[in-house]
Amino acid sequence: MRDLLPKEAKRLRFIERIARKIADLYGYEEVITPVIEYYDLLAAKIGEENRKRMYVFEDLGGRKVALRPEFTASIARLIATKLRTAPKPLRLFSTGSLYRYDEPQFGRYREFWQANYELFGSPMPEADAEIIFLTADLLRKTGLRSYCFKIGHVGVLRGIFNHEGISEEQQNNIMQSLDKKEKAKAIKLLEETRASQKCLNSLKRLMEISGKDLSVIEDMKRIVNDYPNAVKAVMNLNGVLNLLDSGGLKTDMLIDAGFARGLEYYTGIVFEVYVPEMDIALGGGGRYDNLVKLFGGGKIPAVGVAVGVDRLSLALEKQGASMHYDKPPKILVIPVDRSMMGEAFKVSSKLREDGFCVEIESMGRSVSRSLSDADRRGIEFAVVLGPKEVKEGKVILRNMAKRKQMTIELDKVRKMIND
Ligand code: HAM
């Protein structure tokens, strides 16, 4: 696990701040759930790959618990219990750290952060579309310029497999292989189920088709024609894509007929976000209509997304985004000598009240050394306090970039800087 030094921590908080703003703009209310949950809850539908990577341990009370590898299970638990009777739709936002024992490599960490959004209560394609619009908005508002969505629908493959009587466990194994892009293994696993030749052919053909226009949908429909639930899934995907199009989504959409995700709770559309500079996903999500029921909360449809904050930060860096903060200017307050220290604290408080970020010279350095320190650290203004100025209620205000200074009344500093 990493230590995040100031630059990295600042980027993480920058993205988090925008994620929170997006939550407000779309009406998602924040919930905070514990970092540790019962293992059984977290493991229920997380998928084999993720399950193996969980940090699991027994607490002092003998309970088998784990560090959360994602938010979705915890939020679904809330819906099944404490928010059971809350009016729907219910839009919930979470952000924080998650833990997976992944092999550390570029963009893959054992502790990472997500911005997570879940929409409960609606089975309609408009709910799926909202989640995708929201994701695109979040990425755009952070300053990401180029990204694309990959989208599919797990109902297509599950529709075929269920029709063929393939067990859920076998289905999950096949989906895991597809998630890892192990196509040959997926076919082999399907062969082992003694599925029909028609089923095998359908999977092989679906795995080969992807593209950016709606002709992919027509191809998918043709392939799954004999499987009614798979046809329904294709139509549902089509409905979501139509809404994205008529709603004016500007982002590239790659429709991938054989796309699956490792998490096992998905029942409908699934999607991931990519940037050209990286081959790992920045975010992922989808529809999961049965998870709340599994946790004892009745049939409540749901769709959601999690954007990986660390990976988004890497992508922004690669695309040269500024990650600009609207922070007020910084001032370094410098007493000419230590007898002015009390005044320096008073003046700093006043300037902070005025809305500036204020640091106080606290190393006992001379004025000239303090000024070069301010220069080196990119501090915009210095306020120097000498006995003569203070007696007159004045300070010396120095604009560091312009290398100009003036003696003015303390009350006028705010106006002078803001003008
Ligand atoms: P996920 O695809 O497992 O989905 O994770 C979402 C995002 O979290 C990934 O796209 C990636 O950016 C980030 N992420 C995952 N693992 C790591 C890691 N080891 N290091 C850095 N970043 C990582 C979920 O977690 C689902 N709960 C999403 C969801 C919400 N589906 C419905 N609602």
Side-chain angles (χ1 to χ4, degrees), residues 22-279:
I22 289 287
D24 285 343
L25 289 174
Y26 279 76
Y28 286 67
E29 289 192 292
E30 183 166 6
V31 285
I32 300 174
T33 55
V35 175
I36 294 172
E37 296 260 8
Y38 281 113
Y39 168 80
D40 287 344
L41 179 111
L42 294 173
K45 285 281 170 187
I46 189 96
E48 189 50 26
E49 283 298 315
N50 288 322
R51 198 174 299 129
K52 282 192 299 207
R53 300 198 155 91
M54 281 166 65
Y55 284 85
V56 189
F57 57 100
E58 199 179 283
D59 72 5
L60 290 179
R63 304 171 195 90
K64 189 173 181 186
V65 292
L67 296 182
R68 62 185 180 196
E70 60 147 3
F71 284 112
T72 308
S74 303
I75 313 294
R77 170 181 62 74
L78 279 187
I79 300 293
T81 55
K82 297 179 180 156
L83 296 172
R84 204 184 178 113
T85 55
K88 309 290 179 300
L90 202 53
R91 295 179 167 91
L92 298 176
F93 164 70
S94 300
T95 183
S97 56
L98 303 138
Y99 303 86
R100 296 183 193 177
Y101 199 81
D102 272 322
E103 273 320 302
Q105 50 188 284
F106 177 77
R108 203 176 288 282
Y109 311 110
R110 289 182 176 163
E111 181 183 47
F112 61 96
W113 276 257
Q114 285 183 348
N116 187 86
Y117 305 80
E118 312 284 0
L119 169 43
F120 292 94
S122 170
M124 311 298 289
E126 36 273 46
D128 306 65
E130 172 176 310
I131 286 289
I132 291 175
F133 275 118
L134 174 156
T135 308
D137 247 0
L138 167 59
L139 299 175
R140 194 176 49 79
K141 286 223 163 71
T142 57
L144 199 69
R145 272 176 288 111
S146 164
Y147 52 89
C148 90
F149 283 85
K150 181 159 106 173
I151 189 165
H153 196 301
V154 295
V156 178
L157 292 178
R158 295 227 187 248
I160 298 175
F161 297 156
N162 283 334
H163 193 91
E164 296 268 334
I166 297 170
S167 75
E168 198 182 329
E169 194 189 337
Q170 288 169 320
Q171 292 189 23
N172 289 343
N173 291 341
I174 297 169
M175 304 297 246
Q176 293 277 329
S177 306
L178 287 175
D179 178 45
K180 288 196 281 175
K181 321 252 171 343
E182 297 170 347
K183 291 186 182 179
K185 186 169 172 201
I187 300 281
K188 190 163 161 282
L189 287 170
L190 186 58
E191 279 167 354
E192 283 167 13
T193 67
R194 303 214 175 81
S196 70
Q197 195 55 45
K198 186 172 77 180
C199 177
L200 272 164
N201 285 343
S202 304
L203 177 64
K204 283 182 192 161
R205 287 170 67 198
L206 284 173
M207 283 188 325
E208 296 313 320
I209 54 172
S210 67
K212 290 188 177 158
D213 62 72
L214 291 177
S215 67
V216 176
I217 295 288
E218 291 310 314
D219 290 344
M220 286 169 80
K221 243 192 286 178
R222 220 169 296 123
I223 296 169
V224 303
N225 202 20
D226 292 340
Y227 299 100
N229 283 340
V231 173
K232 263 194 215 157
V234 177
M235 299 312 292
N236 178 249
L237 175 60
N238 192 32
V240 176
L241 290 168
N242 280 336
L243 282 177
L244 295 174
D245 186 46
S246 58
L249 186 81
K250 303 271 184 311
T251 317
D252 268 353
M253 273 280 157
L254 180 76
I255 310 161
D256 186 339
F259 177 41
R261 291 192 9 96
L263 298 149
E264 281 166 5
Y265 45 64
Y266 292 120
T267 55
I269 64 141
V270 282
F271 64 92
E272 281 175 352
V273 188
Y274 287 90
V275 287
E277 297 83 359
M278 286 158 60
D279 61 0

Side-chain angles (χ1 to χ4, degrees), residues 2 4 8-20 71 93-98 107 109 111-117 138-139 142 278 281-283 306-317 323:
R2 300 157 296 157
L4 300 188
E8 288 151 324
K10 204 186 267 182
R11 288 183 169 167
L12 188 136
R13 296 300 179 210
F14 164 81
I15 294 170
E16 233 176 51
R17 202 173 317 154
I18 294 178
R20 194 162 270 123
F71 284 112
F93 164 70
S94 300
T95 183
S97 56
L98 303 138
Y109 311 110
E111 181 183 47
F112 61 96
W113 276 257
Q114 285 183 348
N116 187 86
Y117 305 80
L138 167 59
L139 299 175
T142 57
M278 286 158 60
L282 293 199
V307 171
V309 173
D310 315 71
R311 290 191 189 170
L312 177 53
S313 173
L314 288 171
L316 287 167
E317 198 176 356
M323 297 198 227

Side-chain angles (χ1 to χ4, degrees), residues 302-357:
V303 55
V305 62
V307 171
V309 173
D310 315 71
R311 290 191 189 170
L312 177 53
S313 173
L314 288 171
L316 287 167
E317 198 176 356
K318 284 206 177 281
Q319 293 192 1
S322 69
M323 297 198 227
H324 179 72
Y325 306 85
D326 279 339
K327 261 207 182 157
K330 246 190 190 178
I331 303 175
L332 181 64
V333 171
I334 310 168
V336 292
D337 58 51
R338 297 204 55 248
S339 70
M340 304 303 296
M341 212 64 226
E343 275 309 317
F345 277 109
K346 274 193 211 151
V347 167
S348 299
S349 299
K350 154 94 174 90
L351 292 172
R352 288 191 192 105
E353 291 286 320
D354 285 348
F356 297 110
C357 302

